[in-house]
Amino acid sequence: MVCEPLAACLFPNIPTSSRADDGTVSYECAPFEGFTTIPKDDEITWDFASADVTPECQNGVHDFGETAVDCGGPSCPPCGLGEFCAGDDDSCESGVCLEGACGGYELPLEITAGTAEAALTFDVNGDGNDDLIVATSSPPGVSVLNGNGDGTFTPGGNYPTEGSPSGLAFWFMGTADSTHDILVANGSAGTVSVFEGSTSGTFTSAGSFPAGGNPLDVVVARLDLSDPAPFAVTINSGGGFSTIAGDASTLLGAATVTDLGTAFTGIATAVQVAGRPGIALAGPDGARVLYTSGASGLLDSTAMLTTDAASSIAIADTNGDRQADVIVGHTDSAKVSVWLGDGAGTFTMGPELVASMAPVRSVARHGATATPSTLALAGQSLTIAYDDGRSVEYDLGHDYTSIARTSPLGEGDISRDIYVVGGGKVAVLRQGYVR
């Protein structure tokens, strides 16, 4: 645009013109903020070139259309863990928006733990961090790794065991110092070892006891209603299971072997049926709950859940009715079935979850977030199925066989992170954000 010289139009004003009926043209100055050049003597050139502005998604500002600063929305990359998400799963890199923030887990961090076969996680020394107790096959024993709170661990004590350990459980005896002791299933030796804990996080051997077979795994259950002392219960490689009575300090020696004519691959405890304690078992012939009919500690009553081949099992209240439900991982299909207990011995099939592949080698319940979830481990894939219907799959990059137990009685959850074991390795998936 070329205009007559207007000395009175000073930056940032521009001349505007109007034509009268008689044909004369008059000029006046008006504000204009887009002025970018200096007037020449006899003309003014107005340059409307765009200014140098940092693109959206990179300017450190929560722009219109973004879910959070420089992320989310139709144009920006998804938001990272802990970023605001306003209920929109698609705006999160993890695919999960929990309570208004992007939730989920960081990629698995492998922990050096020898030839790991099983693991427990709990704060054994009272510093507020997860610690790891790992059963190793070479050399046979139990190693304690003290957590630093950032996903890394410092070696603690090492404790030799008989044979190759194949399973671990917490043995909470309610001693005066409120420490947690450890039961170790020694598969090749056919024994169960007891290690007494201390407030410093160290352990002392309290002996080994015959298991009545070669134990694959061990849990702790309170089976005698007249006596609060716990029992050790093992599943054996030759089939059936064994119970070993305990007292306030250790096991009492003799094992009672129950042969049900089938082998089992998974065991869980802390189930109550009509006020009577019991255990849950998984194997090629399906999944079942065994419970006591009286105060004898004898598991003589059965509730059969399914005859579909089962590989793993866990117990938790999945629907908030304060009754024990049973979670079953299956062998021949990539499914996880949930059986809802009514507290009186009846279990009804609830929601069925789908994992990424078969078999589902380990299942667990994870409740350390505002939205609890069920975990299903299948080889190198971990599926997290949230109670609100959403699910997320994580590629672990390595085949794992079990999810580490986290509570003193072997089931449930007290840790925000997830630990997996298998192929001689332990890995942690650290929770990126918790409401």
Side-chain angles (χ1 to χ4, degrees), residues 159-203:
Y159 307 93
T161 61
E162 299 178 344
S164 298
S166 51
L168 290 171
F170 281 106
W171 175 261
F172 183 56
M173 296 182 294
T175 51
D177 58 7
S178 297
T179 57
H180 298 85
D181 309 303
I182 303 171
L183 290 184
V184 184
N186 302 310
S188 60
T191 61
V192 174
S193 297
V194 180
F195 290 89
E196 295 182 355
S198 67
T199 54
S200 64
T202 59
F203 293 86

Side-chain angles (χ1 to χ4, degrees), residues 354-384:
V354 179
S356 61
M357 59 185 295
V360 179
R361 295 177 178 173
S362 184
V363 291
R365 186 69 175 163
H366 196 61
T369 63
T371 306
S373 59
T374 296
L375 311 180
L377 176 65
Q380 60 182 356
S381 173
L382 178 70
T383 300
I384 302 178

